[in-house]
Amino acid sequence: MKGDQEQIARIVSEVLSRLGYQADTGIPEVEKTAVILADTTTSSPLQRPHALTNIPFVEDVDPLAPPFSDVGTKGGVDDPTRMLRGWTGSMEAELILETAVGRYLTSPAALLHVLGDRRRAVAIVSTQGTDYKGERGQWSGTGFLVGPNLFLTNHHVLNSLDVAVAAKIEFNYEITPENLLLGNGAPPQATQIFALDPDRLFVTSPTQGGLDYTFVWIEDAAQATFGAIPMERSSFTVEEGAQAFVVHHPDGRPKEVSLDDTDILGIKTTIIHYSSDTMGGSSGAPVFDHRGRLIALHHASRRQAVDLPDGGQSDVVNEGIKIAAIAIDLENRMRSGGADASFAETILRQVKGSDTMSGYFGGIGREIASGATGPEAVVDTYRGTDQDIDIGFWNIEWLATKWTDEKKLNGAARVIADLNLDAWGLSEISPAGVEALVSRIEHIYGDRYDCAFSEPDAPQGKQSTAMIWKKSALFGESMNWPASIEPLLRQRSDDPGVGVEAVHGKIFDRRPGLFRFRTSGDLPAYSFFAVPLHLKAMDEGSLRRRLASRIMARAVEEISREYGLDVILGGDMNAPLASGDFATIEQAGFTLLGAQDEQDGAFTYLKGPKSAIDNIFLSPGMKQTVGATDYFIIAKERSMSDFIRSVSDHRPVAMRLSLAKAARPAGATEAADLDAIIDAMLISEKAQRTRRGQRRRSPTTRPQ
């Protein structure tokens, strides 16, 4: 009889467990049996312990706070709310609602395919040891594959090397489609278990005071069998009121997906808050947007009453760590050169795209406050836009004649908003096209650019060059070339006395413009010249090309003698300008540096003897071809979206001028100003000595 009672109790316990309840019977929970497909096959039952709970939040929930309130106006974009609408509102704006009940919350049917495919990379984690609070025990969580040999979960799931070594990563623990349709409650399908090897890669950020993530090495066969979920840098993928879908193992149960009341409630630079259903054991799960993109790493829930967009209420709020914030934290680790710097670099190779908030180069070259760690350091990095100037050059060949094409214009605006550079040199454009582009960027994304043209009076349809720049970062103006240079810009290579060449023409078919910039806002004081060029049609060794190089060199020499500022010449050309043409200016203390892209452009940078620039970072695909060895730093882990190729046949080239070490505290004095003060002190001292000498030589008059 006792045996029958125990059997009945076990059956009841299993049924309640499948329904989401824990039976308090005093009898151990029935262990779920699965077929193990790994290097070693076993039929022994697998224990899946309960999850850790009461995980602390990174940020408090504030339903009234606007998006990105933690950076406010100090972030990298002019209007975060408008930028968010620009990135998230285009699809919804095109919807025509026939019939809607409450809020219209359908998604494209393809979302089912995307989530169905990416759910395969999600696994249940079972482990034991000393947890993140220092307590011994067993627990479970969720994690997922993000690339070759890369498994991602929370720190509080895998908080140490020992805990990671003890962990079992079990894929395919889910109800089969057939059993779901039948509703027969049969055991989950066969699973496959993999071990972790943290000695080969382990990067973690603490739960308290950190971003609560852990990356750890997993064997190749995991991704080969179950795929991976791509990671992307992006701050503006979702808006408040949108949906957040979580694929997880709540309380150690078979894999589930949260589909009801999935509203996003708040957005900051490091986290998002949402109402999607989760439980203990959901920690470490991927959070997807309505297009199936990975946007966050789920890590915690708390009891808090909040209003939902549909008028309902929820008494639970969830928090996820944004993938963009994790990428910034990894960049900070890589730059710090600590023990896990090489691991961080390995992970960053799997993170695609750019983060609009931090700009194309992200946190590269930016200094953060001493002692800042985790979320605080990430926010400091986003606020660090006052430490650098990002400049790009791009050939948008259709912007001269086809700028009225709405799709093309919106595409170019999207690229410029996404890369978020401070200034752009554009070639093969027309003034009307550039003005339309600048207007479109502000209308959709809220970033405010100014513009100036190399040929402001160019006839309609004539291809030319221009500069655009963010008003919040730079003051810009068009300058006249020196009087001795201006006539040369109109010359032809077949003018009498020049020589014979098979193919002749104007030396500069696109007239080069000269533009002067100085920093504004919170940026350290710095001024420079920029010259957007289009020399692509000229063979590097042709007479036209050599004449163009030498004319530019003579122009820069004159400008440098007069102003002493750095000069950047860049754009659509197949190589930097010839180094030999700049010998004179190099003798004057300038440093000549050049880099080129394999296909899409090049630039020449002349660094003045008193330049404030500390480092120059280049977009991938570029390599230094002129100047001091290893002066340029290639941002190898950065990537540009494939979307760019749908806008232009040419890829932009980009550079970051790092002013971090040149930055001065408020009230600090320039070195040149210090020299002037010292000179004035010496003059004053000399005058005082003269006056003292005069007094000693003059007779002393005593009072009567």
Side-chain angles (χ1 to χ4, degrees), residues 12 21 59 91 150 157 167 177 218 225 235 256 294 304 328 393 417 422 439 530 535 629 631 640-641 655-656 669 679:
V12 171
Y21 299 95
E59 294 277 358
M91 180 177 293
L150 286 179
V157 175
I218 191 169
T225 305
S235 288
E256 299 178 7
L294 175 65
Q304 180 172 338
I328 290 287
F393 295 95
D422 298 304
S439 176
L535 304 176
T629 304
Y631 185 85
M640 292 188 182
S641 170
M655 60 191 298
R656 165 166 287 180
T669 309
D679 291 340

Side-chain angles (χ1 to χ4, degrees), residues 395-438:
N395 179 338
I396 318 179
E397 68 281 354
W398 52 264
L399 198 56
T401 57
K402 298 180 180 179
W403 54 269
T404 55
D405 185 319
E406 292 289 311
K407 184 177 180 180
K408 286 180 174 291
L409 194 63
N410 288 343
R414 171 179 166 178
V415 171
I416 289 175
D418 184 32
L419 299 184
N420 193 16
L421 308 182
D422 298 304
W424 286 87
L426 304 177
S427 59
E428 303 298 76
I429 54 81
S430 67
V434 171
E435 288 172 347
L437 175 60
V438 166

